[in-house]
CSV table of all heavy atoms in Angstrom, one decimal:
chain,number,residue,atom,x,y,z
A,27,GLU,N,0.8,-1.2,0.0
A,27,GLU,CA,0.0,0.0,0.0
A,27,GLU,C,0.9,1.3,0.0
A,27,GLU,O,0.5,2.3,-0.5
A,27,GLU,CB,-1.0,0.0,1.2
A,27,GLU,CG,-0.3,0.1,2.5
A,27,GLU,CD,-0.1,-1.3,3.1
A,27,GLU,OE1,0.1,-2.3,2.4
A,27,GLU,OE2,-0.1,-1.4,4.4
A,28,PHE,N,2.1,1.1,0.6
A,28,PHE,CA,3.0,2.3,0.6
A,28,PHE,C,3.4,2.7,-0.9
A,28,PHE,O,3.5,3.8,-1.2
A,28,PHE,CB,4.3,2.0,1.4
A,28,PHE,CG,4.0,1.5,2.8
A,28,PHE,CD1,4.4,0.2,3.2
A,28,PHE,CD2,3.2,2.2,3.7
A,28,PHE,CE1,4.1,-0.3,4.4
A,28,PHE,CE2,2.9,1.8,4.9
A,28,PHE,CZ,3.4,0.5,5.3
A,29,MET,N,3.6,1.6,-1.7
A,29,MET,CA,3.9,1.9,-3.1
A,29,MET,C,2.8,2.5,-3.8
A,29,MET,O,3.0,3.5,-4.6
A,29,MET,CB,4.3,0.6,-3.8
A,29,MET,CG,4.6,0.7,-5.3
A,29,MET,SD,6.0,1.9,-5.6
A,29,MET,CE,7.4,0.9,-5.0
A,30,LEU,N,1.5,2.1,-3.5
A,30,LEU,CA,0.4,2.7,-4.2
A,30,LEU,C,0.3,4.2,-3.8
A,30,LEU,O,0.0,5.0,-4.7
A,30,LEU,CB,-0.9,2.0,-3.7
A,30,LEU,CG,-1.2,0.6,-4.3
A,30,LEU,CD1,-2.5,0.1,-3.7
A,30,LEU,CD2,-1.3,0.7,-5.8
A,31,MET,N,0.5,4.5,-2.5
A,31,MET,CA,0.4,5.9,-2.1
A,31,MET,C,1.5,6.7,-2.7
A,31,MET,O,1.3,7.9,-3.1
A,31,MET,CB,0.5,6.0,-0.6
A,31,MET,CG,-0.7,5.3,0.1
A,31,MET,SD,-2.3,5.8,-0.4
A,31,MET,CE,-2.3,7.5,0.0
A,32,SER,N,2.7,6.2,-2.8
A,32,SER,CA,3.9,6.9,-3.4
A,32,SER,C,3.6,7.2,-4.9
A,32,SER,O,3.9,8.3,-5.3
A,32,SER,CB,5.1,6.0,-3.2
A,32,SER,OG,5.4,5.8,-1.9
A,33,VAL,N,3.1,6.2,-5.6
A,33,VAL,CA,2.9,6.4,-7.1
A,33,VAL,C,1.8,7.5,-7.2
A,33,VAL,O,1.9,8.4,-8.1
A,33,VAL,CB,2.4,5.1,-7.7
A,33,VAL,CG1,1.9,5.3,-9.1
A,33,VAL,CG2,3.6,4.1,-7.7
A,34,ALA,N,0.8,7.4,-6.4
A,34,ALA,CA,-0.3,8.4,-6.5
A,34,ALA,C,0.2,9.8,-6.2
A,34,ALA,O,-0.1,10.8,-6.9
A,34,ALA,CB,-1.5,8.0,-5.6
A,35,ALA,N,1.0,9.9,-5.2
A,35,ALA,CA,1.5,11.3,-4.8
A,35,ALA,C,2.5,11.8,-5.8
A,35,ALA,O,2.4,13.0,-6.2
A,35,ALA,CB,2.2,11.2,-3.4
A,36,VAL,N,3.4,11.0,-6.3
A,36,VAL,CA,4.3,11.5,-7.3
A,36,VAL,C,3.6,11.8,-8.6
A,36,VAL,O,3.9,12.9,-9.3
A,36,VAL,CB,5.4,10.4,-7.6
A,36,VAL,CG1,6.2,10.7,-8.8
A,36,VAL,CG2,6.3,10.2,-6.4
A,37,GLY,N,2.6,11.1,-9.0
A,37,GLY,CA,1.8,11.4,-10.2
A,37,GLY,C,1.1,12.7,-10.0
A,37,GLY,O,1.0,13.5,-10.9
A,38,ALA,N,0.6,13.0,-8.8
A,38,ALA,CA,-0.1,14.3,-8.5
A,38,ALA,C,0.9,15.4,-8.6
A,38,ALA,O,0.5,16.5,-9.2
A,38,ALA,CB,-0.8,14.2,-7.1
A,39,LEU,N,2.1,15.2,-8.1
A,39,LEU,CA,3.1,16.3,-8.3
A,39,LEU,C,3.4,16.5,-9.7
A,39,LEU,O,3.6,17.7,-10.2
A,39,LEU,CB,4.4,15.8,-7.5
A,39,LEU,CG,4.3,15.8,-6.0
A,39,LEU,CD1,5.6,15.3,-5.4
A,39,LEU,CD2,4.1,17.2,-5.4
A,40,TYR,N,3.5,15.4,-10.5
A,40,TYR,CA,3.8,15.6,-12.0
A,40,TYR,C,2.7,16.4,-12.6
A,40,TYR,O,2.9,17.2,-13.5
A,40,TYR,CB,3.9,14.2,-12.6
A,40,TYR,CG,3.9,14.2,-14.1
A,40,TYR,CD1,5.1,14.5,-14.8
A,40,TYR,CD2,2.7,13.9,-14.8
A,40,TYR,CE1,5.1,14.5,-16.2
A,40,TYR,CE2,2.8,13.9,-16.2
A,40,TYR,CZ,3.9,14.2,-16.9
A,40,TYR,OH,4.0,14.2,-18.2
A,41,LEU,N,1.4,16.2,-12.2
A,41,LEU,CA,0.3,16.9,-12.8
A,41,LEU,C,0.2,18.4,-12.3
A,41,LEU,O,-0.7,19.1,-12.7
A,41,LEU,CB,-1.0,16.2,-12.5
A,41,LEU,CG,-1.2,14.9,-13.2
A,41,LEU,CD1,-2.5,14.2,-12.8
A,41,LEU,CD2,-1.2,15.0,-14.8
A,42,GLY,N,1.0,18.7,-11.3
A,42,GLY,CA,0.9,20.1,-10.7
A,42,GLY,C,-0.1,20.2,-9.6
A,42,GLY,O,-0.4,21.3,-9.2
A,43,GLU,N,-0.6,19.0,-9.2
A,43,GLU,CA,-1.6,19.0,-8.1
A,43,GLU,C,-0.9,19.0,-6.8
A,43,GLU,O,-1.0,18.0,-6.0
A,43,GLU,CB,-2.6,17.8,-8.3
A,43,GLU,CG,-3.3,17.8,-9.6
A,43,GLU,CD,-4.5,18.8,-9.7
A,43,GLU,OE1,-4.7,19.4,-8.6
A,43,GLU,OE2,-5.1,18.9,-10.7
A,44,TYR,N,-0.2,20.0,-6.5
A,44,TYR,CA,0.7,20.0,-5.3
A,44,TYR,C,-0.1,19.9,-4.0
A,44,TYR,O,0.3,19.1,-3.1
A,44,TYR,CB,1.6,21.2,-5.2
A,44,TYR,CG,2.3,21.5,-6.5
A,44,TYR,CD1,2.4,22.7,-7.1
A,44,TYR,CD2,3.0,20.4,-7.2
A,44,TYR,CE1,3.1,23.0,-8.3
A,44,TYR,CE2,3.7,20.6,-8.4
A,44,TYR,CZ,3.7,21.9,-8.9
A,44,TYR,OH,4.4,22.1,-10.1
A,45,PRO,N,-1.2,20.6,-3.8
A,45,PRO,CA,-1.9,20.5,-2.5
A,45,PRO,C,-2.5,19.0,-2.3
A,45,PRO,O,-2.4,18.5,-1.2
A,45,PRO,CB,-3.1,21.5,-2.7
A,45,PRO,CG,-2.6,22.5,-3.7
A,45,PRO,CD,-1.8,21.7,-4.7
A,46,GLU,N,-3.0,18.5,-3.4
A,46,GLU,CA,-3.5,17.1,-3.3
A,46,GLU,C,-2.4,16.1,-3.0
A,46,GLU,O,-2.6,15.2,-2.2
A,46,GLU,CB,-4.2,16.7,-4.7
A,46,GLU,CG,-5.5,17.4,-4.9
A,46,GLU,CD,-5.4,18.7,-5.6
A,46,GLU,OE1,-4.3,19.3,-5.6
A,46,GLU,OE2,-6.4,19.2,-6.1
A,47,ALA,N,-1.3,16.2,-3.6
A,47,ALA,CA,-0.2,15.3,-3.4
A,47,ALA,C,0.2,15.4,-1.9
A,47,ALA,O,0.5,14.4,-1.2
A,47,ALA,CB,1.0,15.7,-4.3
A,48,THR,N,0.3,16.6,-1.4
A,48,THR,CA,0.7,16.8,0.0
A,48,THR,C,-0.4,16.2,1.0
A,48,THR,O,-0.1,15.6,2.0
A,48,THR,CB,1.0,18.3,0.3
A,48,THR,OG1,2.0,18.7,-0.5
A,48,THR,CG2,1.4,18.4,1.8
A,49,ALA,N,-1.6,16.5,0.6
A,49,ALA,CA,-2.7,16.1,1.5
A,49,ALA,C,-2.8,14.6,1.5
A,49,ALA,O,-3.1,14.0,2.5
A,49,ALA,CB,-4.0,16.7,1.0
A,50,VAL,N,-2.6,13.9,0.3
A,50,VAL,CA,-2.6,12.5,0.3
A,50,VAL,C,-1.7,11.9,1.3
A,50,VAL,O,-2.0,11.0,2.1
A,50,VAL,CB,-2.3,12.0,-1.1
A,50,VAL,CG1,-1.9,10.5,-1.1
A,50,VAL,CG2,-3.4,12.2,-2.1
A,51,MET,N,-0.4,12.4,1.3
A,51,MET,CA,0.6,11.8,2.2
A,51,MET,C,0.3,12.2,3.6
A,51,MET,O,0.6,11.4,4.6
A,51,MET,CB,2.0,12.3,1.7
A,51,MET,CG,2.5,11.6,0.5
A,51,MET,SD,2.6,9.8,0.7
A,51,MET,CE,3.6,9.3,-0.7
A,52,LEU,N,-0.1,13.5,3.9
A,52,LEU,CA,-0.3,13.9,5.2
A,52,LEU,C,-1.4,13.1,5.9
A,52,LEU,O,-1.2,12.6,7.0
A,52,LEU,CB,-0.7,15.4,5.2
A,52,LEU,CG,-1.1,16.0,6.6
A,52,LEU,CD1,0.1,15.9,7.5
A,52,LEU,CD2,-1.5,17.5,6.4
A,53,LEU,N,-2.6,13.0,5.2
A,53,LEU,CA,-3.7,12.2,5.8
A,53,LEU,C,-3.3,10.7,5.9
A,53,LEU,O,-3.7,10.1,6.9
A,53,LEU,CB,-4.9,12.4,5.0
A,53,LEU,CG,-5.5,13.8,5.0
A,53,LEU,CD1,-6.6,14.0,4.0
A,53,LEU,CD2,-6.0,14.2,6.4
A,54,TYR,N,-2.6,10.2,5.0
A,54,TYR,CA,-2.2,8.8,5.0
A,54,TYR,C,-1.2,8.6,6.2
A,54,TYR,O,-1.4,7.6,6.9
A,54,TYR,CB,-1.6,8.4,3.7
A,54,TYR,CG,-1.2,6.9,3.7
A,54,TYR,CD1,-2.2,5.9,3.6
A,54,TYR,CD2,0.1,6.5,3.8
A,54,TYR,CE1,-1.9,4.6,3.5
A,54,TYR,CE2,0.4,5.1,3.8
A,54,TYR,CZ,-0.6,4.2,3.7
A,54,TYR,OH,-0.2,2.9,3.6
A,55,TYR,N,-0.3,9.5,6.4
A,55,TYR,CA,0.7,9.4,7.4
A,55,TYR,C,0.0,9.4,8.8
A,55,TYR,O,0.3,8.7,9.7
A,55,TYR,CB,1.7,10.6,7.3
A,55,TYR,CG,2.9,10.5,8.3
A,55,TYR,CD1,4.0,9.7,8.0
A,55,TYR,CD2,2.9,11.2,9.5
A,55,TYR,CE1,5.0,9.6,8.9
A,55,TYR,CE2,3.9,11.2,10.3
A,55,TYR,CZ,5.0,10.4,10.1
A,55,TYR,OH,6.1,10.3,10.9
A,56,ILE,N,-1.0,10.4,8.9
A,56,ILE,CA,-1.7,10.4,10.2
A,56,ILE,C,-2.5,9.2,10.4
A,56,ILE,O,-2.5,8.6,11.5
A,56,ILE,CB,-2.7,11.7,10.2
A,56,ILE,CG1,-1.9,13.0,10.2
A,56,ILE,CG2,-3.6,11.6,11.4
A,56,ILE,CD1,-2.7,14.2,10.0
C-alpha cells in the first residue's frame, strides 16, 4: 500500500496538483 500511495503522490506532483499530493501523504501518514 506504501507503493500505491507513493505512485499516486508522485503522479499528482507531476500533474501540478501539489496540494492534493501533500494532502494524500499527510492524511495517510496520520
Side-chain angles (χ1 to χ4, degrees):
E27 65 266 29
F28 308 119
M29 178 58 73
L30 284 181
M31 298 307 299
S32 298
V33 170
V36 170
L39 290 175
Y40 170 78
L41 291 176
E43 303 285 355
Y44 309 134
E46 286 87 342
T48 303
V50 163
M51 286 302 193
L52 176 61
L53 293 173
Y54 183 74
Y55 186 83
I56 293 173

